[in-house]
Amino acid sequence: MEVSLRDLTLTFGTAERGAGIYSIANNLEIDGCTFHRNVATNFGSALFHTNANGRCRIVNSTFTANNVVRQKGCIYNQSGEMILDHCTVVWNTNQSDVIGAGIINDRGNLKLNNTIVANNIWGAIFPFASDVDGDYTSLGPNLVRALTNGTVTIGGGPILTREPMLDELGDNGGATWTMMPLPGSPALGAAERSPLVVRDQRGFPRPARIADKPTLGAVEVSAAPQLYPFQQEVGVLSAGDGARDFGTLLPGSSRTLEFGFANAGLSDLTGVALSFSGPHAGEFSIGIPPATQVAPRGSTTFTVTFAPASAGVKTAVLSIVSNDPDASPFVIPLTGIGNSVFADAGSTQGSAVWNRPEAGAPPRALSPTANATRYDVVSFSIERQGQYTFTCDVTPFGQWENYLF
């Protein structure tokens, strides 16, 4: 059995073990999830995994404020392979006198990479730290404050033991709540690039350049300002993404899309300016402008309107200039189509041959052949020679309009 979970919040679960997830899967993939305030009686307040031949891989996920009552472990790996990459496991508790509050590796194979495990507390009367209990392999840099009842095999990168300096769990963008590193956090720039983890838990890109060091844990933060553009209902945009498509419109009409950008850095994002370039730059415009300065963790939105002046495929590039040292200008390709094919609703029957020998050549408009009433079905057939025939039946309501194909 294979299970994949992405962008979920698992909270207020209760169970004897595995209050968030109890897994016996051969392959369990967890990406971009937050486990918060789950309570287990015995083992694994957030996650219990047991499969000697199985594999559990956890990426860009946050575990905090989960609690065990009688035994131990926010994450309990009873058997099998478990890998945590760019995860944050902090402030989980075990209120018993059994050692182990963070990650427990019983008889499995635990591997950590670019992960923060800190401030996990056990003890019925006096609090004691236990972040990892059992043997584990450090595949790269990690921040693990307290190791109990086990040894660590160094596979790469240093192991930090300092206070991670994280903000409380909150809405920092993305589908799930996260914990942002604060200014001065040792997690900043302490990770190594992981080829399989190119974004953080919120969907914000990890550094692409080899010279830039990512942040440990689930959230990517830079001391410098960081501009992360997004499109509403789409998400964060990355360099190299395809063009933002405004669809097909009649010349003289328009369509507006909403965009924005966040500042994921720890310094103010300033000097923001937008401009268009490209062969059809004049057919794209800014409607509502963005703020020219964005504070750390802040965001702003703006709108872009496409209004084709003629038929054909239209392209332009939107450039966003700022004081981001790595992404200025950030360019967003734009595209849309002006289309002059329409059905004149004054006809009951119409047809036209659509033969486009050259890319971008406008199709022919249909001509009315008869009068119709407001209750008639209007039928048109458009043929692109040698390829297909498209037939459209339209019943108008209220008044005749032009129908776009």
Side-chain angles (χ1 to χ4, degrees):
M1 178 174 60
E2 296 190 1
V3 179
S4 180
L5 304 175
R6 184 179 180 87
D7 295 339
L8 298 177
T9 297
L10 297 99
T11 187
F12 294 111
T14 58
E16 185 272 330
R17 61 185 66 191
I21 295 176
Y22 181 99
S23 171
I24 58 172
N26 292 327
N27 188 24
L28 173 62
E29 297 276 342
I30 299 173
D31 189 352
C33 295
T34 292
F35 295 73
H36 181 230
R37 292 189 177 181
N38 299 286
V39 179
T41 306
N42 289 321
F43 304 104
S45 53
L47 170 64
F48 185 93
H49 179 257
T50 178
N51 186 328
N53 298 314
R55 178 177 181 267
C56 175
R57 182 171 181 265
I58 311 170
V59 179
N60 283 335
S61 294
T62 299
F63 299 76
T64 189
N66 301 284
N67 181 53
V68 170
V69 179
R70 296 177 183 170
Q71 290 293 328
K72 58 184 179 179
C74 167
I75 300 174
Y76 198 101
N77 186 39
Q78 186 176 59
S79 61
E81 182 182 55
M82 177 176 285
I83 303 171
L84 281 80
D85 197 346
H86 275 295
C87 291
T88 299
V89 185
V90 297
W91 292 117
N92 300 285
T93 56
N94 161 16
Q95 64 189 67
S96 77
D97 282 326
V98 180
I99 298 175
I103 304 174
I104 311 300
N105 186 39
D106 191 347
R107 301 184 301 275
N109 181 13
L110 175 64
K111 301 175 181 178
L112 305 181
N113 186 52
N114 294 329
T115 288
I116 299 172
V117 194
N119 301 334
N120 299 285
I121 304 298
W122 69 275
I125 300 176
F126 300 103
F128 299 95
S130 176
D131 296 314
V132 177
D133 189 79
D135 299 337
Y136 77 97
T137 299
S138 181
L139 298 178
N142 292 288
L143 192 158
V144 179
R145 298 202 73 187
L147 171 65
T148 55
N149 295 327
T151 60
V152 56
T153 300
I154 305 297
I159 299 176
L160 307 179
T161 58
R162 296 169 55 192
E163 164 61 44
M165 299 176 62
L166 304 179
D167 201 354
E168 63 185 19
L169 187 70
D171 184 0
N172 299 301
T176 52
W177 281 19
T178 52
M179 304 179 76
M180 295 278 287
L182 297 171
S185 169
L188 299 174
E192 297 289 347
R193 293 177 69 248
S194 181
L196 299 179
V197 186
V198 297
R199 295 176 181 264
D200 73 356
Q201 182 171 343
R202 303 164 299 165
F204 289 12
R206 300 280 184 181
R209 301 188 311 181
I210 296 177
D212 295 332
K213 298 290 187 179
T215 301
L216 292 175
V219 180
E220 186 60 43
V221 181
S222 170
Q226 285 186 309
L227 181 144
Y228 285 124
F230 58 85
Q231 181 181 343
Q232 296 289 12
E233 301 182 357
V234 174
V236 177
L237 306 178
S238 299
D241 284 352
R244 302 297 94 194
D245 191 353
F246 285 77
T248 302
L249 303 175
L250 288 172
S253 62
S254 65
R255 179 169 295 157
T256 298
L257 297 180
E258 185 174 0
F259 295 84
F261 49 84
N263 178 14
L266 299 178
S267 303
D268 285 347
L269 184 73
T270 61
V272 176
L274 279 60
S275 62
F276 295 96
S277 61
H280 307 101
E283 297 177 63
F284 295 86
S285 62
I286 298 296
I288 300 173
T292 58
Q293 179 171 326
V294 181
R297 306 187 195 180
S299 64
T300 184
T301 59
F302 62 94
T303 59
V304 177
T305 298
F306 169 54
S310 59
V313 177
K314 311 293 184 173
T315 60
V317 172
L318 169 63
S319 297
I320 306 176
V321 174
S322 70
N323 66 332
D324 184 326
D326 299 316
S328 181
F330 188 98
V331 297
I332 303 175
L334 307 173
T335 188
I337 298 176
N339 196 339
S340 62
V341 174
F342 63 91
D344 186 325
S347 60
T348 55
Q349 294 276 326
S351 64
V353 174
W354 183 12
N355 183 19
R356 298 176 66 181
E358 298 180 2
R364 295 171 55 188
L366 303 179
S367 300
T369 57
N371 294 322
T373 72
R374 57 185 293 181
Y375 304 107
D376 288 340
V377 174
V378 183
S379 226
F380 293 100
S381 177
I382 302 177
E383 179 183 5
R384 184 169 183 177
Q385 292 181 344
Q387 294 194 28
Y388 59 81
T389 300
F390 171 67
T391 301
C392 179
D393 294 331
V394 181
T395 302
F397 293 94
Q399 60 182 5
W400 294 110
E401 299 175 355
N402 289 332
Y403 291 89
L404 180 65
F405 290 81

